[in-house]
Amino acid sequence: LLRITSVYKKMGVKTSFDNPTGISDANPLMGAGIKTVNLADGVENPHTINEKISVKNLERLTETISAFLSDIG
């Protein structure tokens, strides 16, 4: 969590932490004891026929993942 928080801080993004109980691809990993960070992607109307994500949010997610991977080197 400290690494992703550091990346977000460098990007000027406010972080918040939650322990959601919803459906996530991270659930099986966490269930197996693997520490997991689940990043929000900015999608609107998730899991509906109207689900969408803006290009801006998709670009931001790409920047976040790239910065995180660079940070862990």
Side-chain angles (χ1 to χ4, degrees):
L1 288 177
L2 294 177
R3 282 187 174 159
I4 196 65
T5 301
S6 173
V7 167
Y8 275 140
K9 187 174 183 177
K10 289 175 189 174
M11 295 176 68
V13 176
K14 182 183 175 200
T15 56
S16 64
F17 300 97
D18 196 2
N19 192 13
T21 57
I23 298 170
S24 168
D25 293 336
N27 290 352
L29 298 172
M30 292 184 291
I34 299 169
K35 292 181 181 179
T36 306
V37 173
N38 197 1
L39 302 176
D41 57 10
V43 71
E44 297 176 37
N45 305 308
H47 311 297
T48 70
I49 60 171
N50 296 315
E51 182 173 331
K52 64 182 178 179
I53 185 169
S54 68
V55 171
K56 180 181 176 181
N57 284 342
L58 191 55
E59 289 172 339
R60 181 66 140 197
L61 180 61
T62 302
E63 291 169 12
T64 301
I65 293 168
S66 293
F68 180 69
L69 291 174
S70 293
D71 189 64
I72 63 173

